[in-house]
Amino acid sequence: MIINKMQKLCKKSMTIQIVKYGVQNFLTNGYVAALIDAEAPGWNEDDIAISLGLPRDKRSNYIKQREVTERPAIDITNMTPVIRLNYAIRYFRTMLIPFVTDDNMVFFVDEDRYKLFEDGEPDGFYIGSIGSGMDPVMVVTDCGVPIGIIAPERLNVSDIKNFASQLHRGLLLAETNGFFDTGHQMEIEEPSEAESEDEDDVEN
């Protein structure tokens, strides 16, 4: 269940807040938010704290007051669709998943935050602002309905560019040296004579 995963992230960051966008209620820890209306209709921050088993004297350390009681509904029609790229990279201790727009702009989101919505079978991802003057975020949809909001990672772009440049140069060199032309996984030990004959038969 999405709410169980979201609550764990809230507990880890010691932040519990429910933000209303239109008629939808999202539970957030400040970096990612998940729609909770289906799984916890009518719940407030105290309900979340209780379900986490937080003692009464500790709840105020987690619960954040709502600066804005209600924001406009999330409108994805003015946002840019994005596509997940089929790889991830480790940036220090964080696994990052890259997304790309139609005009080839790339940004990254934390894998743990993305995985929050995997069970919901998301069918769309969009990048854009959900409020005046607010930073762009990635909105996750299911059947066209926003179910999640993820803040993209602010990274040292020089680190990423150097990594990408080194990777590109290294791949070209490895290709030149035939590392990717074997057609099968490299092995530690040489194959036996019988295995070699089997591979020859397959190739023929």
Side-chain angles (χ1 to χ4, degrees), residues 45-157:
E45 286 87 347
D46 282 313
D47 295 316
I48 300 295
I50 292 170
S51 71
L52 285 172
L54 297 175
R56 186 180 296 275
D57 60 342
K58 299 290 185 182
R59 294 174 196 169
S60 60
N61 297 331
Y62 289 75
I63 295 174
K64 307 303 177 184
Q65 297 301 315
R66 308 182 196 188
E67 296 181 9
V68 179
T69 56
E70 185 173 335
R71 303 179 187 273
I74 297 172
D75 182 9
I76 61 173
T77 59
N78 295 321
M79 294 186 175
T80 302
V82 296
I83 298 173
R84 176 186 172 176
L85 298 179
N86 292 324
Y87 60 86
I89 65 171
R90 181 176 293 280
Y91 185 75
F92 295 98
R93 298 177 62 182
T94 304
M95 288 301 296
L96 301 175
I97 297 178
F99 286 80
V100 62
T101 64
D102 287 342
D103 59 1
N104 295 317
M105 184 188 81
V106 173
F107 64 93
F108 298 87
V109 300
D110 185 304
E111 183 181 49
D112 288 340
R113 296 167 190 162
Y114 169 79
K115 282 184 174 181
L116 185 68
F117 305 102
E118 283 186 325
D119 293 343
E121 299 181 357
D123 58 10
F125 304 95
Y126 302 83
I127 187 78
S129 179
I130 54 176
S132 177
M134 296 178 67
D135 290 332
V137 295
M138 189 176 79
V139 173
V140 184
T141 64
D142 186 354
C143 297
V145 177
I147 62 168
I149 307 164
I150 306 175
E153 295 297 298
R154 288 197 181 277
L155 306 173
N156 185 325
V157 69

